[in-house]
Amino acid sequence: MLTLATDLDALTRFGRALADPIRCRLLLALRETPAHPSDLADQLGISRTRLSNHLACLRDCGLVVAVPVGRRIRYELADPRLGHALDDLRTAVVAVAADRSCPDAEEKGCC
């Protein structure tokens, strides 16, 4: 059984990864298919140095892994369930954003 500290650590790492738009785009790209850093940099329109920093963060968070393929490195999600989690989270956030049933939403800027 997981402890509360382990659960919080996992959610904190996931939250840190999602806190940056480039890391979100990387995770979504890797959800589709594993890729080499040069391809990811081109796809996202960012420098390889900047990409490398974000990939290091995602590796440190335990969300992606580097897989040697010959002389190159390919990145992929550390676990296929992360792709499902990203889909579920995106779907839930979109559903909540569309639900404007809170009567105070406009006035308070909440919900």
Side-chain angles (χ1 to χ4, degrees):
M1 181 194 302
L2 293 175
T3 65
L4 180 58
T6 304
D7 290 346
L8 290 175
D9 180 55
L11 289 174
T12 299
R13 287 184 288 122
F14 197 62
R16 183 175 17 161
L18 294 177
D20 184 275
I22 291 175
R23 288 194 294 270
C24 287
R25 291 173 59 205
L26 270 170
L27 288 169
L28 291 173
L30 292 173
R31 183 192 90 227
E32 295 297 324
T33 186
H36 297 282
S38 59
D39 298 330
L40 289 167
D42 291 343
Q43 182 179 350
L44 298 175
I46 61 174
S47 71
R48 291 182 187 185
T49 302
R50 194 168 180 199
L51 176 81
S52 178
N53 291 334
H54 287 290
L55 286 172
C57 177
L58 293 174
R59 276 193 322 269
D60 290 344
C61 289
L63 300 178
V64 301
V65 293
V67 178
V69 179
R71 295 178 58 182
R72 297 180 71 193
I73 298 292
R74 183 186 70 215
Y75 281 87
E76 59 189 50
L77 294 179
D79 188 299
R81 291 175 289 187
L82 290 169
H84 298 293
L86 288 166
D87 288 338
D88 291 344
L89 182 59
R90 187 174 42 86
T91 302
V93 168
V94 168
V96 169
D99 179 16
R100 302 299 285 181
S101 60
C102 175
D104 299 325
E106 292 296 323
E107 181 181 315
K108 294 182 179 178
C110 62
C111 309

